[in-house]
Amino acid sequence: MTSPRQPTGRRRLPTGERRAQLVDIASRLFRERGYHHVGMRDIADAADIKSASLYHHFRSKTDLLQAIVESVSEDLIASQEPFARAARDEGRSGGELLAALLRRQIVYLCEHADALWVADREINSLPSEVIAKVQRSRRRYQRTIAALIADGVRTGELRSSAPDLVAFAALDMVNGLSRWYRPERGRSLENVADGYVALIIKDLLGGRLEPGG
């Protein structure tokens, strides 16, 4: 996570980096204090910027909450889709691609645990049309995971009588990991990600994992 304050005279961040920094800071504050107990001035103070500068990036607190929710749903999914296309072009099997996507998702969500926590609890504070858009994106991704499982079953690489249910179970496991994972507990994120992927591919789906796969 980005540090909430930077020393005076810091370099001017590009707009995309500054927005990402503000999303991180707001996510932390919303998780610590509650969305309804944090104001835009609190976020600006934590970022060591003027309120006017914050409003340059986000029109309102709702706009900022939307950016947080989208960062762990639409932004994540959008980054997975080109990766999946490239992996298919390389000839990776359904099981290999499934393992790679789940590992990438685990790492991303654990690195953005505050945003995921806020998104889970505060999404209903957003306008209904935004909620519907996010839910459509999530359903599309769930179908992608289910399709990969079904592909693996057809080729004999994986075993499942209900790919859609396993997809839900796998995504619940992955999304829940960030609730308890803390690096100070002695496990590296890469080690935990490998362990979770092995549980899903080998134990849930009866498949095999190649080294590094």
Side-chain angles (χ1 to χ4, degrees), residues 144-191:
T144 297
I145 297 299
L148 288 174
I149 294 172
D151 287 346
V153 171
R154 279 194 294 271
T155 62
E157 185 183 9
L158 304 173
R159 294 197 301 272
S160 174
S161 60
D164 55 338
L165 292 181
V166 176
F168 279 121
L171 292 175
D172 277 347
M173 287 177 62
V174 167
N175 291 336
L177 173 57
S178 67
R179 298 189 186 104
W180 68 261
Y181 174 74
R182 298 292 182 274
E184 60 269 20
R185 291 177 177 171
R187 289 177 178 265
S188 72
L189 178 52
E190 290 74 16
N191 179 264

Side-chain angles (χ1 to χ4, degrees), residues 4-6 10 18 21-22 25 42-49:
R5 288 187 178 272
Q6 294 185 5
R10 62 191 181 283
R18 174 63 77 192
Q21 180 194 57
L22 293 171
I25 291 169
D42 297 319
I43 298 166
D45 288 346
D48 196 19
I49 62 175

Side-chain angles (χ1 to χ4, degrees), residues 5-25:
R5 288 187 178 272
Q6 294 185 5
T8 303
R10 62 191 181 283
R11 70 182 179 88
R12 184 180 180 85
L13 293 175
T15 298
E17 287 184 36
R18 174 63 77 192
R19 280 178 61 90
Q21 180 194 57
L22 293 171
V23 164
D24 281 351
I25 291 169

Side-chain angles (χ1 to χ4, degrees), residues 116-125 179:
L116 180 61
W117 191 95
V118 171
D120 284 346
R121 286 157 180 79
E122 300 294 350
I123 188 172
N124 289 328
S125 297
R179 298 189 186 104

Side-chain angles (χ1 to χ4, degrees), residues 5-148:
R5 288 187 178 272
Q6 294 185 5
T8 303
R10 62 191 181 283
R11 70 182 179 88
R12 184 180 180 85
L13 293 175
T15 298
E17 287 184 36
R18 174 63 77 192
R19 280 178 61 90
Q21 180 194 57
L22 293 171
V23 164
D24 281 351
I25 291 169
S27 298
R28 176 178 59 79
L29 292 178
F30 291 162
R31 183 173 187 175
E32 290 175 354
R33 306 182 196 173
Y35 171 69
H36 297 288
H37 298 287
V38 176
M40 292 291 271
R41 180 178 292 277
D42 297 319
I43 298 166
D45 288 346
D48 196 19
I49 62 175
K50 295 180 179 179
S51 294
S53 297
L54 178 58
Y55 281 105
H56 173 75
H57 295 283
F58 300 99
R59 294 165 297 178
S60 66
K61 193 169 73 165
T62 300
D63 193 29
L64 184 46
L65 176 61
Q66 180 177 340
I68 292 171
V69 172
E70 289 178 346
S71 73
V72 289
S73 55
E74 295 189 35
D75 291 355
L76 168 63
I77 293 167
S79 74
Q80 293 280 59
E81 290 172 342
F83 174 83
R85 287 194 296 269
R88 287 193 186 96
D89 291 343
E90 294 170 1
R92 300 180 77 169
S93 68
E96 290 174 328
L97 179 51
L98 175 65
L101 286 176
L102 291 175
R103 182 178 288 105
R104 284 166 54 90
Q105 184 175 350
I106 288 168
V107 171
Y108 182 93
L109 292 179
C110 284
E111 290 178 344
H112 298 80
D114 288 342
L116 180 61
W117 191 95
V118 171
D120 284 346
R121 286 157 180 79
E122 300 294 350
I123 188 172
N124 289 328
S125 297
L126 291 172
S128 58
E129 63 272 17
V130 176
I131 297 173
K133 181 183 175 207
V134 169
Q135 290 175 337
R136 285 194 300 270
S137 183
R138 290 175 175 175
R139 286 195 295 270
R140 186 179 76 246
Y141 185 64
Q142 183 274 330
R143 289 194 295 268
T144 297
I145 297 299
L148 288 174

